[in-house]
Amino acid sequence: MGDTSVRVYLSATTRSLSELGDGGQLSVVEAHAVTPHLREWYAEGDEEELEYVAFTRAAQGALRILVGMPQAPPRRVVISVDLPSAAVRPASQQLGDSTVTLAGPVPASAVAAVHVDGAGAEPDVVAALARIAEAAAGDEDAQFVVDSVEDHELEWYDRTELDQLR
């Protein structure tokens, strides 16, 4: 595999951004990338479509992280990082899975971009957080509320704007 890199999408919160400050690092709960299992499942998808799937799953993971952090601002965060391929491993053998495990903490220097919900998404994020347990239990109406968060595109910030986001 040599020195090739892999784009990885980290599920995060606004609090995660402060951990990356001043050369810090981030211990990751959940990450997503274009894995061989995702590529096989979406055989017709091009690289951009596959990356969008992995990115969307990271955004869904960010929502799940927020459930356990009621004091955090209700905004999903996805941190795009580029890591050496040797530091990224598929988490399962399940067809279509984009979940990966990382060899260690992610340094701030690996950040390529940060994606954050805008203020307009907050009411829908709050509503989704209130119904996420019901959705997980199979309630279709609750799932509709949770899925409605995906109508909001996350805003893109360059790595040089990380200080402003904190």
Side-chain angles (χ1 to χ4, degrees):
M1 296 205 177
D3 58 358
T4 61
S5 67
V6 175
R7 175 62 51 99
V8 178
Y9 304 98
L10 311 177
S11 301
T13 66
T14 55
R15 289 193 163 177
S16 305
L17 300 177
S18 62
E19 294 178 38
L20 287 172
D22 299 324
Q25 57 186 14
L26 186 63
S27 295
V28 179
V29 174
E30 182 173 300
H32 293 272
V34 177
T35 63
H37 311 298
L38 180 64
R39 194 177 306 284
E40 184 178 348
W41 181 257
Y42 291 95
E44 299 298 318
D46 64 21
E47 196 66 20
E48 187 174 321
E49 290 171 318
L50 294 170
E51 287 186 10
Y52 185 76
V53 170
F55 177 88
T56 300
R57 290 179 181 172
Q60 293 165 344
L63 187 65
R64 288 190 300 276
I65 292 170
L66 284 171
V67 169
M69 301 180 71
Q71 71 284 7
R75 295 186 183 195
R76 299 167 299 159
V77 175
V78 174
I79 303 172
S80 297
V81 299
D82 294 319
L83 298 173
S85 59
V88 181
R89 294 284 175 250
S92 80
Q93 300 298 316
Q94 184 176 352
L95 192 61
D97 195 0
S98 65
T99 309
V100 295
T101 57
L102 306 179
V106 176
S109 60
V111 174
V114 178
H115 315 270
V116 182
D117 269 323
E122 284 189 10
D124 286 337
V125 171
V126 169
L129 291 171
R131 306 285 309 268
I132 200 165
E134 296 168 62
D139 183 312
E140 290 181 16
D141 291 334
Q143 188 64 53
F144 179 79
V145 172
V146 171
D147 289 344
S148 70
V149 172
E150 292 181 24
D151 292 340
H152 297 277
E153 292 289 328
L154 279 75
E155 297 174 359
W156 180 90
Y157 296 90
D158 185 77
R159 66 179 289 162
T160 60
E161 297 174 286
L162 193 54
D163 286 339
Q164 295 169 354
L165 285 171
R166 282 192 286 266

